[in-house]
Amino acid sequence: MGSGTGSGTGTGERLLNVVDVEATCWEGQPPPGQVHEIIEIGLTVVDLRAGERVAKHRLLVRPARSEVSPFCTELTGLTQAEVDGGLTFADACRVLAAEHRTGLLPWASWGDYDRKQFTLQCQRSGAEYPFGHRHTNAKAVFTTSYGLRRRPGMAQALELAGLPLEGRHHRGDDDAWNIAALVLDMAGRGTGSPNRSSVIIRLRKVTD
């Protein structure tokens, strides 16, 4: 997908990576010998100061210890043949760090599943963890921002915020794009100032 993050002074202070992953899944428990593995990584770059989504990226990842089930294909649209052409997980982590500065920029995801899955899979495979420590659980922040008692799914949150669901739900790049819209919505609710980055910076990390 396209990029347009810019490289001016202070750019890193206003950019946020929004990440969503899809993993191998089954209607019940994994078959013997198989484990949940990331097969798609969606990443949207948000310019918090401008209040805009400025880039949308997608990486396909080839699973090493699992296969894409019919249930997974129905949910995500991904097939085994498609992910067979993807990167290894270790290479995907290197691409994230080298091309998307994931170790330097703060990042957000909807809930804490994505962070935990990256952590677990890096531990299992020996791949280097590609992210820094500045993570925001956007689902928890949205729940607080809207005064909700229960944490909503992404689609429900979009409906509550009056935002459209763009693209296909459970597709990594589309979900990251939609979550980024929710992040900007929260930033807008948090301040009347055009400089919204301070709102996100003040959000403390909350985990599921």
Side-chain angles (χ1 to χ4, degrees), residues 145 183-193 196 198-199 202-203:
S145 177
V183 167
L184 291 173
D185 172 76
M186 288 183 279
R189 288 171 63 86
T191 178
S193 167
R196 300 175 177 179
S198 60
V199 177
R202 289 199 303 267
L203 296 177

Side-chain angles (χ1 to χ4, degrees), residues 50 60 78 87 97 108 180 195 198 202 206:
L60 290 180
L78 295 167
L87 301 169
N195 184 4
S198 60
R202 289 199 303 267
V206 187

Side-chain angles (χ1 to χ4, degrees), residues 38-100:
I38 293 170
I39 52 177
E40 183 185 25
I41 304 167
L43 185 150
T44 291
V45 182
V46 175
D47 187 324
L48 293 164
R49 187 173 302 167
E52 295 178 349
R53 297 171 290 183
V54 295
K56 182 180 182 183
H57 304 279
R58 182 189 190 216
L59 296 176
L60 290 180
V61 184
R62 183 168 67 251
R65 298 177 57 189
S66 61
E67 295 180 352
V68 177
S69 68
F71 173 80
C72 188
T73 296
E74 183 177 354
L75 182 70
T76 67
L78 295 167
T79 65
Q80 184 66 45
E82 189 174 7
V83 299
D84 279 345
L87 301 169
T88 66
F89 177 69
D91 283 344
C93 288
R94 283 190 283 268
V95 168
L96 288 172
E99 298 184 13
H100 304 294

Side-chain angles (χ1 to χ4, degrees), residues 15-196:
L15 296 183
L16 174 77
N17 284 327
V18 176
V19 175
D20 183 83
V21 304
E22 302 299 330
T24 48
C25 55
W26 301 268
E27 195 163 7
Q29 293 298 313
Q34 298 194 43
V35 296
H36 296 281
E37 293 180 284
I38 293 170
I39 52 177
E40 183 185 25
I41 304 167
L43 185 150
T44 291
V45 182
V46 175
D47 187 324
L48 293 164
R49 187 173 302 167
E52 295 178 349
R53 297 171 290 183
V54 295
K56 182 180 182 183
H57 304 279
R58 182 189 190 216
L59 296 176
L60 290 180
V61 184
R62 183 168 67 251
R65 298 177 57 189
S66 61
E67 295 180 352
V68 177
S69 68
F71 173 80
C72 188
T73 296
E74 183 177 354
L75 182 70
T76 67
L78 295 167
T79 65
Q80 184 66 45
E82 189 174 7
V83 299
D84 279 345
L87 301 169
T88 66
F89 177 69
D91 283 344
C93 288
R94 283 190 283 268
V95 168
L96 288 172
E99 298 184 13
H100 304 294
R101 298 188 291 164
T102 53
L104 300 175
L105 296 177
W107 67 293
S109 60
W110 195 255
D112 211 37
Y113 170 81
D114 308 81
R115 185 183 65 83
K116 289 179 178 179
Q117 183 62 32
F118 265 106
T119 300
L120 177 62
Q121 201 161 330
C122 284
Q123 291 172 346
R124 284 175 173 168
S125 66
E128 187 173 352
Y129 185 71
F131 298 101
H133 297 295
R134 294 182 293 167
H135 174 258
T136 296
N137 180 333
K139 180 193 287 188
V141 177
F142 182 92
T143 303
T144 300
S145 177
Y146 277 79
L148 305 176
R149 297 181 63 181
R150 300 183 64 179
R151 296 181 181 181
M154 185 202 75
Q156 183 184 3
L158 289 168
E159 185 176 351
L160 289 169
L163 298 171
L165 196 163
E166 302 178 59
R168 174 175 179 150
H169 194 12
H170 297 301
R171 175 168 165 147
D173 57 341
D174 288 338
D175 280 358
W177 185 255
N178 285 304
I179 296 164
L182 289 166
V183 167
L184 291 173
D185 172 76
M186 288 183 279
R189 288 171 63 86
T191 178
S193 167
N195 184 4
R196 300 175 177 179

